[in-house]
Amino acid sequence: MTIKLVVGGLTLNIISIYSPQVGLDEEIKRHFWEDLNEVVASIPPTEKLFIGGDFNRHIGSVLIGYDEVHGGFGFECRNSGGVSLLNFAKAFELMVANSSFPKKEEYLVTFRSSRTVTQIDFLLLGKDDKSLCKDCKVIPTENLTTQHKLLVMNLEIRRKKKKRLIDDRPRIRWGRLTLSSALEIGEKLTVMESWESRGDASSIWDRTANCIRKAAREVLGVSRGRRDGH
């Protein structure tokens, strides 16, 4: 299942998977990886990708050969399925988030039963987005099912700042307006005959406003400044 979200100006693609169990036919496993490869390959490189779910594989705690995708904080030993998962991550430049933070066993183990304690659930994200992930761990007191523990990833996504636009047009120094300068502006407006009532209301207003601005610039002066555009 794939969900597409837009957060803080970024497009996020979240893929939830359930990988075939170890004992199933190799053909079923092959179809799973082919389908997943096709979905991931269809996502534009400008969008963010997060993959999570039950991979039914063990990546272990040793990162030899996979140091660019494995953070070195796994659980127990890697199996052949774990190799397939790490090769997949390598091919698409992903990293295993819950192998990237040093944790006690209870925050690494994602599956517990009466006979088994292991790590088979993983969260993956793009290597270039590693800085977005602030933490990834198991919540041992929460269960997704009877045996699977809740695995969470903390992301910090900041809203993109709007670009600052420079407005350097001359600006009237209205702060200099006093009673005497207001009277001077009024005298100039009288000479300009700014209050003439020719034409429609819109043209009268435009003519009057232009006269006021012209008189104010002459009396108060202008300055050039910068302000944020919205």
Side-chain angles (χ1 to χ4, degrees):
M1 179 179 69
T2 304
I3 298 174
K4 189 180 291 283
L5 301 172
V6 177
V7 180
L10 300 177
T11 300
L12 315 181
N13 294 272
I14 303 170
I15 300 176
S16 176
I17 67 95
Y18 179 76
S19 175
Q21 296 178 356
V22 176
L24 292 180
D25 187 79
E26 291 300 317
E27 187 71 7
I28 295 176
K29 298 177 185 177
R30 184 176 65 81
H31 280 303
F32 165 78
W33 286 113
E34 287 178 352
D35 290 344
L36 183 57
N37 288 348
E38 184 177 346
V39 172
V40 173
S42 69
I43 296 174
T46 55
E47 299 180 0
K48 306 298 182 184
L49 172 62
F50 304 95
I51 304 175
D54 180 358
F55 281 87
N56 276 307
R57 281 150 172 76
H58 308 293
I59 64 170
S61 58
V62 178
L63 53 78
I64 296 176
Y66 296 98
D67 54 311
E68 69 269 47
V69 299
H70 191 311
F73 302 105
F75 184 73
E76 292 191 331
C77 300
R78 182 185 306 161
N79 62 5
S80 59
V83 172
S84 298
L85 169 56
L86 294 173
N87 284 335
F88 164 77
K90 207 171 185 179
F92 287 100
E93 297 187 337
L94 304 172
M95 62 167 295
V96 183
N98 49 317
S99 72
S100 303
F101 299 91
K103 302 291 181 183
K104 296 180 180 179
E105 178 180 307
E106 62 179 323
Y107 299 108
L108 289 173
V109 170
T110 65
F111 182 91
R112 289 181 182 272
S113 68
S114 58
R115 294 178 298 176
T116 305
V117 176
T118 188
Q119 181 188 49
I120 56 176
D121 303 289
F122 300 99
L123 289 169
L124 282 65
L125 75 161
K127 290 194 295 183
D128 292 340
D129 298 322
K130 181 179 178 180
S131 61
L132 299 178
C133 183
K134 303 306 178 184
D135 196 13
C136 188
K137 65 181 179 181
V138 167
I139 307 297
T141 56
E142 297 291 337
N143 292 349
L144 285 179
T145 64
T146 305
Q147 298 167 323
H148 286 267
K149 299 297 179 180
L150 180 63
L151 177 63
V152 299
M153 177 167 55
N154 295 342
L155 298 174
E156 184 177 281
I157 299 176
R158 298 182 178 180
R159 185 179 298 275
K160 291 183 178 179
K161 294 183 178 179
K162 294 182 179 179
K163 292 183 178 180
R164 301 188 67 183
L165 301 179
I166 298 176
D167 183 356
D168 59 354
R169 293 174 297 178
R171 305 173 68 80
I172 298 171
R173 296 179 180 271
W174 290 108
R176 293 182 174 180
L177 186 64
T178 62
L179 178 58
S180 60
S181 60
L183 292 173
E184 186 178 352
I185 291 173
E187 292 175 359
K188 288 182 175 290
L189 291 175
T190 301
V191 175
M192 294 177 184
E193 298 181 343
S194 59
W195 314 117
E196 286 187 7
S197 57
R198 292 177 299 169
D200 57 25
S202 179
S203 61
I204 293 173
W205 167 250
D206 288 341
R207 183 169 57 254
T208 301
N210 287 332
C211 288
I212 293 172
R213 282 193 287 267
K214 181 179 178 181
R217 282 195 293 267
E218 292 176 359
V219 175
L220 304 176
V222 296
S223 64
R224 293 182 180 274
R226 294 187 178 186
R227 59 186 176 87
D228 290 345
H230 298 281

